[in-house]
Amino acid sequence: MSNALQLPIIDLASPDRFSTANSIRQACIDHGFFYLVNHGVDEELVKKVFEQSSNFFSFPIEEKMKLAIKNHRGYTALYAEKLDTTLTTKGDSKETFYVGPLADGLNQWPLEEDLPSWRSTMETYHQKVLSAGTKLLSLIALSLKLDEDFFGKVGALNEPLGFIRLLHYPGSGDLDSSSEEVYGASAHSDYGMITLLMTDGVPGLQICREKSKQPQVWEDVPSISGAFVVNIGDMLERWTNCLFRSTLHRVLPPRQERYSVASFMEPSKDCIVECLGSCCSEACPPRFPPIKASDYLEERLRLTYVK
């Protein structure tokens, strides 16, 4: 049985940055998850993104497969990913579309005549979320007793990798009925720095605060209209020497159709992720060797796709 969780609400526009940073610190130590409000991504734009996402996913599968994933951009079909690699079931019951950094020319886009203003909507959203994420990272730096511009100074923001992932979970009536339990998204922690998630309000997201405890206790994360659900990824957990937690989460098989948009913010490829000075001591030495951000992410992504 799961309980609904009361996560902290962080106001990105609050003038009291130190108090906000302290709240973030507590949230990241206790849950690894929090809500973010007053983030500067306006409701009208969010509504457009969900409409455009729904338009794309309603296309026939052969149309969607023309944009099949390459270079981590484009479409992945139902069951193509399995986030919990220990499961013996088929992949997760969701289809997705990835939009990556706008400058490198690797994104795949639906044709303008098929979906007018689809691309411009996604590009605008990408930029707005990246801007909110950058502001949030300066508060996260403060929360770690570092200078506000720490992540900029270590090169994490030279060319930060922003990925948007449109997600569609068909309702259970639209899926093959089989006896095995298939998750919308099986249990996993995110790989990067931070994730900003927007949902359509349909429930399903759950977190498990103690990764290693058995049996696992799962708690529902209710959606708050207009707020991002933010969570810490494994890379930031590693950077903070496990002070901040990258929490296990999953999406239950939805009874009704569900849409969400996850935005992942990763450091620039060449940024070196090594234990922060404020997160280690003689009693608590660094647990992980330094690693280049791109090497870490590539390895994690390689393990996700169903062979």
Side-chain angles (χ1 to χ4, degrees), residues 2-302:
S2 64
N3 310 311
L5 202 56
Q6 299 283 302
L7 290 175
I9 297 176
I10 303 296
D11 181 350
L12 193 56
S14 164
D16 189 345
R17 296 178 68 72
F18 286 97
S19 161
T20 307
N22 284 336
S23 305
I24 289 174
R25 183 181 178 90
Q26 209 48 57
C28 294
I29 290 171
D30 292 346
H31 305 99
F33 268 78
F34 54 87
Y35 297 108
L36 189 69
V37 297
N38 294 324
H39 41 65
V41 184
D42 71 84
E43 237 169 288
E44 207 40 52
L45 177 59
V46 171
K47 199 171 134 214
K48 262 198 202 149
V49 169
F50 276 90
E51 279 168 8
Q52 296 282 12
S53 172
S54 164
N55 291 344
F56 174 78
F57 287 122
S58 67
F59 276 8
I61 182 69
E62 52 277 10
E63 285 301 307
K64 293 184 280 198
M65 287 308 288
K66 288 177 182 170
L67 296 170
I69 195 158
K70 287 198 290 276
N71 303 308
H72 308 305
R73 321 294 170 89
Y75 176 71
T76 68
L78 278 174
Y79 313 122
E81 293 178 336
K82 185 157 60 172
L83 292 166
D84 180 351
T85 48
T86 65
L87 290 177
T88 54
T89 54
K90 58 186 173 186
D92 298 340
S93 61
K94 64 178 182 324
E95 49 178 352
T96 74
F97 193 96
Y98 286 93
V99 176
L102 303 178
D104 62 13
L106 294 174
N107 282 314
Q108 303 196 65
W109 303 106
L111 294 172
E112 190 70 22
E113 59 257 35
D114 294 339
L115 290 171
S117 76
W118 201 91
R119 176 176 178 170
S120 59
T121 302
M122 297 308 162
E123 288 182 331
T124 304
Y125 185 76
H126 192 289
Q127 287 159 337
K128 292 279 189 195
V129 176
L130 208 53
S131 162
T134 304
K135 285 181 193 147
L136 177 57
L137 281 173
S138 64
L139 287 166
I140 287 175
L142 278 182
S143 79
L144 290 162
K145 318 272 187 261
L146 302 164
D147 292 343
E148 234 174 308
D149 58 353
F150 170 81
F151 289 108
K153 284 197 296 210
V154 295
L157 305 176
N158 292 351
E159 287 177 28
L161 297 180
F163 277 86
I164 297 175
R165 185 180 199 201
L166 308 174
L167 294 129
H168 174 228
Y169 303 89
S172 49
D174 298 323
L175 295 170
D176 307 339
S177 52
S178 69
S179 54
E180 63 178 18
E181 180 162 30
V182 173
Y183 286 95
S186 47
H188 65 288
S189 51
D190 291 345
Y191 311 149
M193 285 171 87
I194 52 173
T195 304
L196 295 91
L197 176 78
M198 194 59 81
T199 81
D200 62 358
V202 174
L205 178 63
Q206 295 186 324
I207 72 174
C208 169
R209 283 188 269 176
E210 301 299 337
K211 293 185 213 194
S212 48
K213 271 203 182 143
Q214 293 297 337
Q216 290 178 333
V217 177
W218 290 94
E219 298 170 283
D220 291 314
V221 178
S223 126
I224 295 182
S225 180
F228 280 116
V229 178
V230 176
N231 65 282
I232 296 302
D234 299 336
M235 195 186 287
L236 196 55
E237 180 178 84
R238 182 179 176 126
W239 230 329
T240 63
N241 216 20
C242 299
L243 173 69
F244 284 5
R245 57 167 77 196
S246 171
T247 306
L248 215 50
H249 52 286
R250 68 184 185 187
V251 176
L252 294 179
R255 289 186 179 79
Q256 68 187 101
E257 189 178 39
R258 179 177 189 270
Y259 289 90
S260 63
V261 183
S263 301
F264 304 100
M265 190 158 174
E266 325 298 14
S268 310
K269 289 178 179 172
D270 293 333
C271 179
I272 301 296
V273 177
E274 58 185 324
C275 182
L276 300 168
S278 61
C279 297
C280 59
S281 61
E282 253 178 69
C284 183
R287 301 183 190 199
F288 309 98
I291 190 169
K292 203 161 79 161
S294 55
D295 293 345
Y296 180 76
L297 283 173
E298 281 301 323
E299 177 53 20
R300 294 299 306 274
L301 286 165
R302 194 179 62 75

